[in-house]
Amino acid sequence: NKCVKDATALSLNKQMVEQAEVIKDLEKKMKGQAKDEAGYTKDKSKVESKIASNKIDIEAMKMEMEAQQKALEIVNKKTATIEGMDALKKEVSKQQSATDKATKKYNNALEDAGSYKEDLKKAEDKIANSALDQTKTKSEIDEANKKLEELKSQLANLK
């Protein structure tokens, strides 16, 4: 009977060591998940900052684009003598180029705004998934601790 108790105690001790290792691994996993979530939160903050900056840029670029368009309208309405026609054509061409450039910058800023919104959504999804993963891992740790306590109780009942 003592041999059976000793063998059972040895088996329980072995299982307890294995269970402690499982708990250690799960806790390490949880720390990694928390670190990942902190990174995702930092990424989200960066994107939110880009969105705020981009919003300001869009307003400024819109005003610049509209000013260039008005300047182009004014230049297009000008008339010139035959001698001044070449100079007027150059002025119109220069203003058209400035208007096109301002319009392109504005449109690019609008595209960036769309990209930033997508990036923000991705960061928020990563944060949410990380929180779910941590909840799952916490549950696994609780179960592993419960199993370890059961093993300790079984060992104590042997004595």
Side-chain angles (χ1 to χ4, degrees):
N1 208 8
K2 175 145 173 49
C3 273
V4 173
K5 275 188 177 182
D6 287 347
T8 304
L10 186 63
S11 174
L12 288 171
N13 278 322
K14 183 181 176 204
Q15 290 176 42
M16 287 170 50
V17 168
E18 290 170 354
Q19 198 60 33
E21 190 63 33
V22 167
I23 292 168
K24 181 181 170 187
D25 290 346
L26 287 169
E27 287 172 342
K28 183 177 178 182
K29 179 180 176 183
M30 183 114 167
K31 283 181 183 178
Q33 290 169 333
K35 185 177 179 181
D36 289 346
E37 184 174 357
Y40 301 147
T41 301
K42 187 176 179 181
D43 292 345
K44 180 184 174 194
S45 293
K46 287 180 183 176
V47 172
E48 288 172 333
S49 177
K50 286 180 182 179
I51 288 171
S53 177
N54 180 261
K55 199 172 190 178
I56 293 167
D57 291 346
I58 285 174
E59 287 304 313
M61 289 177 193
K62 183 178 181 184
M63 290 171 52
E64 174 65 17
M65 179 185 69
E66 289 170 349
Q68 293 295 340
Q69 288 171 340
K70 285 180 184 176
L72 180 61
E73 287 173 20
I74 291 169
V75 170
N76 278 330
K77 289 180 183 176
K78 284 185 178 181
T79 57
T81 62
I82 292 176
E83 297 83 29
M85 193 56 77
D86 284 339
L88 181 58
K89 283 181 182 178
K90 284 183 182 179
E91 187 179 353
V92 168
S93 176
K94 184 178 175 185
Q95 188 57 49
Q96 182 65 53
S97 177
T99 302
D100 291 346
K101 185 177 177 182
T103 301
K104 184 175 180 176
K105 278 183 162 182
Y106 175 71
N107 289 335
N108 287 343
L110 291 176
E111 287 177 20
D112 289 347
S115 294
Y116 294 151
K117 285 180 184 175
E118 290 174 16
D119 292 347
L120 181 62
K121 174 77 171 107
K122 288 177 187 175
E124 289 171 340
D125 289 347
K126 285 180 180 180
I127 291 168
N129 288 337
S130 180
L132 289 174
D133 290 345
Q134 288 181 68
T135 300
K136 181 180 173 190
T137 302
K138 173 74 171 109
S139 177
E140 291 172 358
I141 290 171
D142 291 345
E143 283 297 315
N145 277 322
K146 184 178 174 185
K147 186 173 180 181
L148 180 60
E149 290 304 315
E150 288 172 4
L151 291 169
K152 287 179 181 179
S153 174
Q154 289 176 11
L155 183 63
N157 288 338
L158 276 180
K159 298 179 180 179

